[in-house]
Amino acid sequence: MDIKTYGDYPIGDVLLASCDSKYFIEHAPAFMRSAIKFKQNLHIHIVNPTDEVKQYKNKCSNFENLTFSSEQTDLSNIDERTYYACNRFIVAPYLLQYANKAMILDVDNYLMNSFRWPDGGYDAGLFLRDPLPGTVGWEQESTHVAAGIVYLHMKKPETLSFAVDVSDRIRQAENFVWFLDQNVLWKAYNDWKDKISFYKFERHIMDWEFKNGTMLWTGKGDRKHSDETYVGQKNKYTKEFNESCNI
């Protein structure tokens, strides 16, 4: 699978997310507003952007901390949901080649407190956990990792090699099935854990129960549509962003 991207190449310390046009309209404004509020550079990669998304994106050009890239990819013979979930890891080593540090996140994540980058000179970072209760086989193996947050120190050659390895494993997978991104991250971690240093994220960093004091809220399953706390915050951020862009 060959992916051709076009657009910006972010520099410095940057947050990276990827999505299709539907998710961009639904979630990106709130994420962008949260990045502006907490003074973080944010790069969003859009798969097959529609004209509506292109027009929306152009209205964001006055914000120096926001950058964008896109791709046109035929998804007629692939599970689109899985591709969208995996895309940010496919494009990361190529979009981020000029970046310093990068945090790969879901586009339905929102910053809720000052952003804290891993310290101590770590090469990469993963949210490792016990597999989800009641899972077996592929799902049990895959849920050793929550893919909603991945850290990469892009100035270290070994980290870039790790990121390329993750991208290659996904692109070369025989089947694009749900949990592919998490499965690849888990297997790559086990192959690389003796070669590079990994920071291990915990729940005070990424939270899907939307508690006060956590750095990052992430939408999971139906909660992104039904949880009043999450939806209320998303709507607040979205309104603020649209007003700042006269949308």
Side-chain angles (χ1 to χ4, degrees):
M1 175 184 293
D2 294 324
I3 309 296
K4 294 182 179 180
T5 67
Y6 54 93
D8 301 322
Y9 289 90
I11 59 175
D13 297 346
V14 62
L15 314 181
L16 168 68
S18 172
C19 60
D20 67 337
S21 292
K22 178 181 177 181
Y23 252 53
F24 182 90
I25 295 297
E26 182 176 355
H27 293 286
F31 194 10
M32 291 188 285
R33 170 57 188 152
S34 73
I36 292 168
K37 179 178 180 179
F38 291 103
K39 300 179 180 179
Q40 296 297 314
N41 296 321
L42 172 61
H43 183 90
I44 299 181
H45 181 74
I46 309 159
V47 179
N48 299 336
T50 62
D51 288 341
E52 179 186 12
V53 167
K54 293 175 183 177
Q55 293 171 5
Y56 200 119
K57 178 175 66 66
N58 289 339
K59 294 181 179 181
C60 308
S61 59
N62 59 314
F63 296 106
E64 294 182 356
N65 70 313
L66 302 179
T67 54
F68 303 92
S69 58
S70 305
E71 67 181 74
Q72 294 294 148
T73 302
D74 183 2
L75 302 178
S76 57
N77 296 313
I78 198 170
D79 181 68
E80 292 185 9
R81 180 171 176 244
T82 299
Y83 182 78
Y84 296 142
C86 293
N87 179 263
R88 61 193 186 276
F89 302 113
I90 294 174
V91 301
Y94 308 104
L95 292 179
L96 299 172
Q97 56 186 296
Y98 303 114
N100 180 31
K101 297 177 181 179
M103 197 75 76
I104 305 175
L105 304 171
D106 287 319
V107 76
D108 54 17
N109 288 353
Y110 310 128
L111 303 183
M112 294 302 300
N113 282 285
S114 296
F115 197 85
R116 300 187 296 276
W117 291 87
D119 54 15
Y122 289 96
D123 302 312
L126 293 172
F127 195 112
L128 302 175
R129 62 182 182 183
D130 292 331
L132 295 180
T135 57
V136 296
W138 169 263
E139 189 172 347
Q140 182 184 57
E141 181 181 53
S142 303
T143 54
H144 277 94
V145 177
I149 183 168
V150 173
Y151 168 70
L152 299 171
H153 195 315
M154 296 305 297
K155 292 300 184 182
K156 298 187 176 183
E158 298 86 355
T159 307
L160 177 58
S161 296
F162 168 75
V164 170
D165 183 34
V166 170
S167 177
D168 288 347
R169 292 186 194 219
I170 294 174
R171 289 187 295 109
Q172 295 166 9
E174 293 184 2
N175 296 305
F176 263 70
V177 295
W178 196 243
F179 290 121
L180 175 60
D181 53 342
Q182 292 170 245
N183 191 275
V184 165
L185 287 169
W186 175 242
K187 289 177 178 175
Y189 164 73
N190 282 286
D191 287 344
W192 282 86
K193 63 184 179 182
D194 295 326
K195 303 174 185 177
I196 62 176
S197 59
F198 284 90
Y199 180 86
K200 297 179 181 179
F201 293 106
E202 298 178 356
R203 286 290 291 273
H204 66 281
I205 297 294
M206 185 177 71
D207 171 32
W208 47 90
E209 294 179 347
F210 319 125
K211 298 178 181 178
N212 289 328
T214 52
M215 183 184 81
L216 189 71
W217 283 3
T218 181
K220 292 291 184 184
D222 291 339
R223 295 176 188 173
K224 70 182 68 175
H225 306 293
S226 61
D227 188 280
E228 293 182 1
T229 301
Y230 175 85
V231 173
Q233 184 62 54
K234 182 188 81 169
N235 291 342
K236 179 178 182 294
Y237 273 155
T238 299
K239 180 181 178 182
E240 291 174 353
F241 186 79
N242 288 344
E243 288 177 348
S244 67
C245 294
N246 295 318
I247 296 174

